[in-house]
């Protein structure tokens, strides 16, 4: 009944929102309902919602055609092929054996994976890139464990930590750089790389460890907690030539990812070049047919349609309307109360991923009005910007909320949408509380205050 009431209210009100905007919001809510509470394939739901938007002329049909031209689609295409190369050559197994050498318990292994994922944040500035690098490791650990509960926990852990660890560094997400560039236009200095690291690293570490413990508590049963990954017969033979070629290509790819600003070649293009190289005759490590068969075409359709649904919210003005509605409702409380400002800021920004799936878009829409509000109320723009980005980095409720989540969502086996929803409902409270604690203690001690 509540779901029907929400849809009905959007259908008849408000007058400020266009008919196309209302239709976009209704389709998104319907899609979320189907993802959470029905057995319909996620790709079918996303594509069906997009087709209804096109047929009702809420969005142009070009949006449907362009949905599969996103750089994310090409990045994932290359990722699947490279993952197949790592599996076929045995490189993924070698990596997982190295990881589990000292991991004599499930919780210890999850902790090690958490730390490795956080470290990658300092070197690979793309959440999709980090998700791609860790995908072969996930597949092999899942195969070794042969336990549904462990696989579900691992599939949730990796993208969750990828997203939470984004807070650690200025280059953790491109949206950080975009938002930081707004400060000079207001006459204030940008937040430096070192300052962001000082504020963000401890928070990201504790948030990631908290997520690791919560996932273990929620999804591991007694049998899964007692899995023993220690293998006395570790791989001791030297690397094969195929493994060496795969490592060489991956190292070259990571190097190009890190220097994208210098050469201008997009991370997705680099990934496709790497995949193509590993599939070439003689110098490649697997056949072309094997690489193509390793691609999850169902996931690509889902991601393409999901991205288009997010774009529809932007094109129809629905996303901007939702933001203005929230800011308008909260502004009357943001007079000179630091506590109320923090509360509403965190709540608005943490919930933004529910109606603006794109992380960069969230920053573009929310940061300028919030910074203007900061100047009007006499708040510190640097502090408000940093806390806005920390709150915006929480995007775990639905698979559509993040590219990293989408990559692991369609793995077989993996987690279900309601598993992610269950985790997010509890983790959001912890994340919210952690921001409040850090603001009143560590961040204040290191110079971050409104």
């Amino acid at each position: 009944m509540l779901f029907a009431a929400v849809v009905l209210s959007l259908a008849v009100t408000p007058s400020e929102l266009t008919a196309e905007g209302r239709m976009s919001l209704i389709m998104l809510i319907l899609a979320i309902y189907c993802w959470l509470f029905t057995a319909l394939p996620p790709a079918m739901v996303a594509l069906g919602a997009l087709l209804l938007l096109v047929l009702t002329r809420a969005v142009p049909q070009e949006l449907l055609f362009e949905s599969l031209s996103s750089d994310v689609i090409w990045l994932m295409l290359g990722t699947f092929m490279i993952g197949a190369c790592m599996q076929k050559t045995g490189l993924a197994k070698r990596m997982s054996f190295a990881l589990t050498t000292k991991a004599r318990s499930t919780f210890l292994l999850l902790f090690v994976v958490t730390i490795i994922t956080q470290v990658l944040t300092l070197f690979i500035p793309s959440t999709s890139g980090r998700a791609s690098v860790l995908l072969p490791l996930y597949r092999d650990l899942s195969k070794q464990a042969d336990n549904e509960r462990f696989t579900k926990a691992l599939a949730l852990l990796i993208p969750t930590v990828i997203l939470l660890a984004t807070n650690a560094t200025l280059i953790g997400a491109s949206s950080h750089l975009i938002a930081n560039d707004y400060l000079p236009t207001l006459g204030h200095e940008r937040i430096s790389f070192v300052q962001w690291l000082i504020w963000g690293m401890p928070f990201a570490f504790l948030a990631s460890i908290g997520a690791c413990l919560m996932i273990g508590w929620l999804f591991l049963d007694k049998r899964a907690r007692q899995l023993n990954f220690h293998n006395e017969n570790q791989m001791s033979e030297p690397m094969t030539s195929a493994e060496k070629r795969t490592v060489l290509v991956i190292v070259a790819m990571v190097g190009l990812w890190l220097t994208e600003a210098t050469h201008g070649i997009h991370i997705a293009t680099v990934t496709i070049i790497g995949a193509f190289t590993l599939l070439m005759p003689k110098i490649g490590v697997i056949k072309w047919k094997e690489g193509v068969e390793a691609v999850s075409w169902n996931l690509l359709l889902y991601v393409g349609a999901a991205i288009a649904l997010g774009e529809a919210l932007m094109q129809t003005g629905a996303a901007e309307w939702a933001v203005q509605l929230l800011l308008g409702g909260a502004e009357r409380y943001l007079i000179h109360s630091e506590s109320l400002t923090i509360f509403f800021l965190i709540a608005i920004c943490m919930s933004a991923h529910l109606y603006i799936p794109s992380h960069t878009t969230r920053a573009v829409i929310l940061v300028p009005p919030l910074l203007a509000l900061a100047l009007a109320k006499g708040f510190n723009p640097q502090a408000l910007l940093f806390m806005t980005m920390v709150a915006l980095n929480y995007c775990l409720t639905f698979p559509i909320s993040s590219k990293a989540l989408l990559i692991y969502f369609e793995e077989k086996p993996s987690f279900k949408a309601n598993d992610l929803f269950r985790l997010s409902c509890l983790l959001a409270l912890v994340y919210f509380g952690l921001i409040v604690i850090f603001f009143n203690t560590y961040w204040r001690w290191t110079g971050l205050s409104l």
Side-chain angles (χ1 to χ4, degrees), residues 203 237 270 306 433:
F203 177 86
E237 61 271 14
V270 171

Side-chain angles (χ1 to χ4, degrees), residues 32-217:
I32 290 171
Y33 176 83
C34 292
W35 288 332
L36 290 177
F37 303 112
T38 73
L40 292 172
M44 177 185 289
V45 172
L47 186 58
L50 181 58
L51 287 172
L52 284 173
L53 286 176
V54 172
L55 292 174
T56 56
R57 301 198 174 183
V59 297
Q61 58 186 336
E62 284 74 21
L63 185 62
L64 173 64
F65 308 143
E66 294 169 358
S67 63
L68 292 176
S69 64
S70 167
D71 59 289
V72 179
I73 299 294
W74 287 97
L75 172 66
M76 295 175 70
L77 180 69
T79 296
F80 282 119
M81 292 180 172
I82 292 170
C85 294
M86 295 180 68
Q87 294 285 341
K88 187 76 173 181
T89 60
L91 183 60
K93 182 173 288 188
R94 188 181 293 276
M95 289 170 57
S96 65
F97 276 156
L99 185 63
T100 58
T101 300
K102 297 184 182 297
R104 297 180 179 272
S105 70
T106 305
F107 266 111
L108 182 56
L109 178 61
L110 294 181
F111 178 78
V112 172
V113 171
T114 298
I115 297 301
I116 290 175
T117 305
Q118 290 185 81
V119 171
L120 284 177
T121 306
L122 301 174
F123 302 99
I124 303 177
S126 163
T127 55
S128 303
R130 298 196 289 276
S132 303
V133 167
L134 292 168
L135 188 59
L137 182 65
Y138 158 77
R139 290 172 175 170
D140 203 77
L141 287 174
S142 175
K143 185 178 179 181
Q144 279 191 60
D146 192 24
N147 182 284
E148 182 181 351
R149 288 274 193 161
F150 172 80
T151 297
K152 181 184 293 187
L154 188 63
L156 285 166
L157 177 70
I158 293 175
T160 296
V161 176
I162 285 173
L163 296 172
L164 297 182
T166 297
N167 294 300
T169 172
L170 181 61
I171 64 170
S174 58
S175 57
H176 293 178
L177 300 171
I178 294 171
N180 205 27
D181 280 341
Y182 285 120
L183 287 173
T185 64
L186 300 174
H188 293 266
E189 291 185 3
R190 293 182 179 90
I191 302 174
S192 68
F193 180 86
V194 174
Q195 188 61 67
W196 195 297
L197 203 66
I198 292 172
W199 289 338
M201 180 70 80
F203 177 86
F205 176 77
L206 288 181
S208 299
I209 296 301
C212 177
L213 294 174
M214 180 170 289
I215 289 171
W217 172 63

Side-chain angles (χ1 to χ4, degrees), residues 213-345:
L213 294 174
M214 180 170 289
I215 289 171
W217 172 63
L218 286 175
F219 299 102
L220 295 180
D221 57 13
K222 184 177 180 180
R223 181 170 175 269
R225 291 189 179 109
Q226 293 175 346
L227 292 174
N228 189 350
F229 291 89
H230 186 64
N231 191 337
E232 298 296 338
N233 300 315
Q234 300 291 339
M235 297 180 70
S236 57
E237 61 271 14
M239 294 179 67
T240 64
S241 60
E243 285 180 287
K244 291 178 180 178
R245 292 199 299 276
T246 305
V247 169
L248 185 63
V249 169
I250 292 174
V251 169
M253 284 170 49
V254 172
L256 289 171
W257 289 349
L258 291 172
T259 56
E260 181 184 353
T262 303
H263 54 69
I265 304 176
H266 194 278
I267 179 175
T269 307
V270 171
T271 306
I272 289 295
I273 293 172
F276 185 81
T277 302
L278 291 173
L279 267 60
M280 289 180 65
K282 295 185 178 179
I283 65 172
V285 297
I286 64 173
K287 296 179 180 179
W288 176 264
K289 183 179 180 181
E290 292 176 307
V292 173
E293 290 176 346
V295 176
S296 174
W297 300 102
N298 180 61
L299 176 58
L300 296 189
L301 284 173
Y302 173 54
V303 173
I307 290 173
L309 284 177
E311 185 63 28
L313 293 174
M314 295 297 302
Q315 289 187 11
T316 60
E320 186 175 357
W321 170 82
V323 170
Q324 294 303 325
L325 182 68
L326 288 171
L327 288 178
E331 187 173 358
R332 69 175 70 113
Y333 300 103
L334 308 183
I335 302 175
H336 293 294
S337 173
E338 190 175 85
S339 299
L340 283 176
T341 299
I342 296 301
F343 179 85
F344 283 108
L345 173 69

